[in-house]
Amino acid sequence: MKLIFVTGWAISGLGKWVTSSSIGRLIKSAGKSVWMIKMDPYLQIDAGTMSPYEHGEVFVTQDWGECDLDIWNYERFTDENLAKENNITTWKVYQAVINRERVGWYLWKTVQIVPHITNEIKEQILETAKNYDFTIIEVWGTVWDIESAPFLEAIRQMKKDLWKSNVFYMIVAPLLHLSYSWEVKTKLIQSSVVELRKCWIIPDAIIYRTEVELEEEIKDKLSRTCDICTDAIIEAKNVSTIYKVPEYFNSQNLLKLIWNKLEVSDFKANLNNWNKLVNKITNPKKEVNIWVVWKYTQFQDTYKSISESFIHAWVENNCKVNLVWIDAEKIEKENNVGNENKVGNENFHSLQNILKNISWVLIPGGFWNRWVEWKILTVQYLRENNIPFLWICLWLQVAVIEYARNKCGLLDANSLEFNEKANNLVIDLMEEQKLITEKWWTMRLWSYEAKLKKWSLAEKLYKENNHNSPLAPLFTIEGDNLIITERHRHRYEVNSKYHKILEEKGLVISGKSPNRDLAEFIEIKDHKFFIATQSHPEFKSRLEKPHPLFVGLVKASLDK
Ligand code: GLN
C-alpha cells in the first residue's frame, strides 16, 4: 500500500484534481491498482447541501454518496467506481471521534485534535486505501488554510508510521508570469515549499502550473532554493484538453520519479488507447451544435458532468460538439416574468423568438419552481416543433406536466415541488417519503435499476452504444428486456396514478423500476428524438465508456 499526497499552495483553482487524476491514470496504465481519496476539511458531512455556484455540481457515487465534483473527475480518469468513503470530510472524522467519546472509548483521557482527530484521519485513509497498490489523496484548499491543519498533521505523521518508501508528497504551485515585463517569478513556488516545511512535510515533487515554459537555468535555481532535484520539478503548462495531462506528465518521467522514491520496480505506462481517444478530441472530423438550457450561468463547473459527457460522445462520434448555452434566467428576465410564474400562452410567441434557431437540445436537472412555467412552455415548443432533445431529471417531470396539461386535458397538472395546491399532482412524493420529516432523507439517491421497454428508443440507444466490458456490463438482460442502472438525485416521481392516462394519450413510459411502479424513462413515438430520464446518466460517462444517451444524441444530430 503506497500513498501519494497531493497538496496545493497560494491559490485554489490550480488543478490539483487534474494532477491527482492524471497520476491515477498513469499508475493504472502501468498495470497497478489505483484508488483515489479527496479530503475536504469543510464542516458539512458531504457536498449535498452546498451551492453549485460555489462548489460546482454535486456528484453522486454508486453507493449514494453526495460528493464533491472531484470524485467524478477521478472516476472518469481512472475508470473506477468510487464510494462515499473516498471523500473524507471534517464532519465524518469528528462524528466518528465524538460517537466513540460518548460510548466511553476515551475514558479518563482528554480528547484532542492531536492525536484523536489526526488518528481518525489516518485510520479513514488506511481503511479506504487498504486493498490497492497505490492511493492518491488530494488535500482540499491550500496549505495554510486553518481547517486543513489537522489533515496536514495527519499526513505528515504517515511517513513516520508507514516508512518513507510508502509515502510520497507533492505540492502544486503557480509559476508567475509577468506579461508586462515578460519575466517569470518563482517566489510562489519557493514559498510553497517553505509553507509545507512549516508543517514538517518535505515535498518529493513540485508540480508548477504555468502558461510559459521554464528555462533550464531557472529550474536549476528552483532546485537549489527548494532543495529538490530538477527531475522532481514537473511542469504543468496549460494544454488544449485536460485529457492530455497524463501523457504530458509521462513525458517528464513522473512515474519513474514515483517508482524510485517508493522503491517500486520500473513499470512503464501504456497510454496508447487513452492517447488515441485524446487525439480525437483535438482532431475531430465533423462538428455539430447542441443547445443546453442552463440556470447557474456564473459557474461552468455546475454543469461539468454534462459538458464532459459531450466530450466523451464527441470522441465516440469523431465529431466536435459545440455547446450553445441558453441562459434560462435571461429568457425569464427578457419576458418580465418573476418567480410567481405568471406565464400564459400569450408569452408563447416571445419564447418562440428565443428558441426558433435551435435544433438539438439537452436540458440538465435542477431544483425548485423558478422559471417553471417557462420550462413547461419550452417543452411544449420543442415537442410540437419536433425538435430533438434529451431531458434530464427535473425535465422529465416538466415534460410530464406539459403532456398532462396539453395532451391529457389536465389543465392544472403540476408538481408538488412547484405548486402543492394543484389538484392534479402528476409529479409527487412517494407515500413513504411524505412521512419523513428531515428534508435530506427525502432525497432519492443511489443507483437504481430500470427495465426498458422492447423496441423503445431507450433500449435502442443502450444496445447500440454499449462500451462496457463483460466484466462491467452496462445492462443485464431479463427475459425480453434490458435492465440498466443509473445514478439518481431527486425527490419527486411521476405519480403512478397518472401513468395510465399519460400512456393512453401516447406518452411511452419506456423504462420503469423493475420492482416498483416508478417511471424512469419517457419518450414519444412520433417525435424525431424525444427521450427523458429521471436519472443522471452524465455521472457514468467516461472517456473510454461514453454514455449511450449522449452518444445517441450526438449521433442522431449527425444523421439529421
Ligand atoms: N427537483 C426535482 C426533484 O427533486 C429534480 C431534481 C434534479 O433534477 N436532480 O425530484
Side-chain angles (χ1 to χ4, degrees):
M1 184 174 55
K2 310 270 182 191
L3 307 179
I4 299 174
F5 292 101
V6 178
T7 60
W9 196 70
I11 49 170
S12 60
L14 288 174
K16 286 197 300 291
W17 74 262
V18 186
T19 303
S20 311
S21 310
S22 300
I23 297 168
R25 164 53 57 176
L26 269 181
I27 294 178
K28 192 169 174 182
S29 310
K32 298 284 169 195
S33 67
V34 128
W35 211 222
M36 310 286 301
I37 295 177
K38 173 81 189 292
M39 300 210 290
D40 278 320
Y42 50 65
L43 280 181
Q44 265 109 328
I45 182 166
D46 59 32
T49 54
M50 287 186 158
S51 159
Y53 281 126
E54 262 180 61
H55 291 272
E57 73 180 16
V58 178
F59 175 66
V60 181
T61 54
Q62 61 169 359
D63 66 341
W64 70 275
E66 287 181 296
C67 289
D68 191 276
L69 181 61
D70 285 338
I71 298 289
W72 188 65
N73 292 325
Y74 305 154
E75 285 201 351
R76 76 193 140 100
F77 267 69
T78 59
D79 192 18
E80 296 287 345
N81 288 325
L82 303 177
K84 281 199 285 271
E85 67 257 21
N86 295 67
N87 199 184
I88 301 176
T89 63
T90 296
W91 198 97
K92 289 182 189 169
V93 172
Y94 273 69
Q95 188 189 43
V97 173
I98 290 166
N99 286 350
R100 273 198 230 114
E101 190 274 333
R102 285 292 86 182
V103 296
W105 193 293
Y106 308 112
L107 273 188
W108 311 116
K109 297 207 172 85
T110 311
V111 184
Q112 290 180 293
I113 292 186
V114 182
H116 301 100
I117 293 295
T118 45
N119 281 353
E120 180 57 30
I121 294 171
K122 292 195 287 186
E123 263 164 45
Q124 291 197 12
I125 293 175
L126 292 175
E127 184 56 30
T128 309
K130 68 177 183 227
N131 297 323
Y132 295 84
D133 299 334
F134 289 83
T135 298
I136 297 147
I137 302 120
E138 178 183 336
V139 188
W140 174 84
T142 58
V143 166
W144 44 254
D145 288 333
I146 289 175
E147 50 271 77
S148 302
F151 289 85
L152 290 164
E153 170 59 16
I155 71 170
R156 174 193 74 77
Q157 292 177 14
M158 291 190 95
K159 189 160 212 159
K160 192 168 96 358
D161 295 354
L162 299 178
W163 188 237
K164 63 180 193 295
S165 61
N166 291 319
V167 174
F168 189 99
Y169 299 114
M170 284 183 150
I171 186 139
V172 184
L175 174 71
L176 274 192
H177 175 236
L178 307 181
S179 55
Y180 51 85
S181 56
W182 281 95
E183 274 177 292
V184 290
K185 294 285 180 195
T186 58
K187 265 288 178 289
L188 283 181
I189 304 176
Q190 293 177 47
S191 50
S192 77
V193 174
V194 173
E195 290 302 325
L196 209 52
R197 280 210 198 117
K198 283 186 194 159
C199 310
W200 298 90
I201 296 173
I202 312 280
D204 297 299
I206 298 172
I207 310 279
Y208 64 93
R209 288 284 289 118
T210 175
E211 287 171 15
V212 293
E213 267 162 43
L214 197 59
E215 284 163 20
E216 278 312 309
E217 200 184 305
I218 304 182
K219 223 179 197 181
D220 285 343
K221 177 180 140 195
L222 252 186
S223 155
R224 251 177 288 121
T225 48
C226 298
D227 195 20
I228 194 165
C229 63
T230 45
D231 292 352
I233 305 176
I234 307 287
E235 184 172 278
K237 202 173 149 197
N238 293 351
V239 276
S240 54
T241 159
I242 47 167
Y243 295 97
K244 278 188 172 175
V245 179
E247 179 56 49
Y248 190 44
F249 283 167
N250 201 28
S251 65
Q252 297 175 69
N253 290 322
L254 178 56
L255 263 193
K256 203 170 174 140
L257 179 79
I258 295 175
W259 296 159
N260 281 345
K261 284 266 175 181
L262 298 182
E263 297 172 10
V264 179
S265 21
D266 189 7
F267 292 93
K268 296 260 172 305
N270 179 353
L271 286 170
N272 292 350
N273 191 41
W274 180 269
N275 289 343
K276 241 186 247 160
L277 299 174
V278 176
N279 208 16
K280 289 193 190 166
I281 304 179
T282 39
N283 299 303
K285 298 274 175 289
K286 294 155 273 181
E287 216 169 299
V288 286
N289 290 342
I290 306 259
W291 280 258
V292 183
V293 181
W294 66 331
K295 192 166 115 186
Y296 306 103
T297 46
Q298 287 98 324
F299 194 31
Q300 286 268 348
D301 270 7
T302 313
Y303 297 97
K304 194 74 181 159
S305 316
I306 299 285
S307 47
E308 292 300 314
S309 299
F310 274 118
I311 293 181
H312 308 157
W314 147 357
V315 167
E316 177 62 16
N317 287 292
N318 226 327
C319 165
K320 179 171 182 195
V321 179
N322 299 312
L323 295 181
V324 188
W325 301 91
I326 302 183
D327 179 354
E329 302 279 315
K330 210 165 145 207
I331 300 184
E332 184 184 46
K333 276 184 205 133
E334 272 176 18
N335 291 284
N336 294 323
V337 185
N339 279 345
E340 314 100 279
N341 292 311
K342 283 190 205 129
V343 186
N345 271 342
E346 68 276 12
N347 300 93
F348 204 57
H349 189 66
S350 57
L351 185 78
Q352 270 173 314
N353 278 340
I354 298 168
L355 299 178
K356 68 176 183 258
N357 291 322
I358 72 174
S359 47
W360 298 83
V361 190
L362 174 131
I363 314 197
F367 288 83
W368 202 229
N369 66 357
R370 284 193 65 160
W371 198 64
V372 68
E373 292 300 320
W374 281 99
K375 288 178 183 140
I376 296 168
L377 281 186
T378 306
V379 173
Q380 184 184 352
Y381 178 83
L382 299 176
R383 179 179 61 75
E384 288 178 350
N385 289 283
N386 206 9
I387 296 170
F389 52 71
L390 168 60
W391 308 120
I392 293 181
C393 203
L394 177 78
W395 285 79
L396 174 139
Q397 302 171 359
V398 175
V400 166
I401 296 171
E402 188 275 322
Y403 208 82
R405 287 187 189 178
N406 297 322
K407 298 291 272 187
C408 308
L410 304 170
L411 298 183
D412 76 336
N414 222 319
S415 159
L416 184 67
E417 187 178 20
F418 310 148
N419 179 4
E420 51 193 33
K421 295 199 187 93
N423 286 324
N424 287 294
L425 288 174
V426 290
I427 308 294
D428 202 354
L429 284 179
M430 290 188 285
E431 289 309 315
E432 71 248 37
Q433 283 170 299
K434 288 182 184 164
L435 304 173
I436 301 170
T437 47
E438 277 181 56
K439 196 170 174 71
W440 185 82
W441 292 102
T442 55
M443 193 73 111
R444 195 171 166 234
L445 293 160
W446 213 345
S447 288
Y448 288 95
E449 289 184 333
K451 191 183 220 174
L452 304 185
K453 225 183 202 131
K454 197 125 190 75
W455 312 120
S456 62
L457 177 59
E459 186 203 48
K460 178 173 165 306
L461 295 176
Y462 275 90
K463 252 190 182 159
E464 280 179 3
N465 304 306
N466 174 21
H467 274 271
N468 285 32
S469 69
L471 286 176
L474 186 64
F475 53 75
T476 51
I477 297 177
E478 200 182 284
D480 255 1
N481 299 94
L482 294 195
I483 309 272
I484 58 104
T485 309
E486 293 292 356
R487 300 182 192 176
H488 289 63
R489 182 171 182 259
H490 63 109
R491 291 197 167 82
Y492 302 88
E493 301 287 347
V494 180
N495 188 338
S496 54
K497 279 199 295 208
Y498 292 91
H499 283 188
K500 193 156 172 276
I501 175 164
L502 289 163
E503 292 196 283
E504 275 168 7
K505 298 290 178 190
L507 189 84
V508 181
I509 302 183
S510 57
K512 274 192 184 175
S513 302
N515 42 12
R516 306 190 60 149
D517 211 12
L518 300 175
E520 290 288 347
F521 284 85
I522 59 164
E523 43 198 84
I524 292 177
K525 273 213 180 83
D526 304 328
H527 199 278
K528 224 191 229 166
F529 191 100
F530 177 122
I531 184 160
T533 169
Q534 190 59 77
S535 65
H536 285 278
E538 69 275 22
F539 290 155
K540 280 175 76 175
S541 186
R542 295 181 187 162
L543 188 62
E544 293 145 307
K545 291 175 189 153
H547 196 282
L549 297 180
F550 287 83
V551 173
L553 182 71
V554 175
K555 202 186 262 174
S557 67
L558 283 169
D559 294 343
K560 62 175 179 276

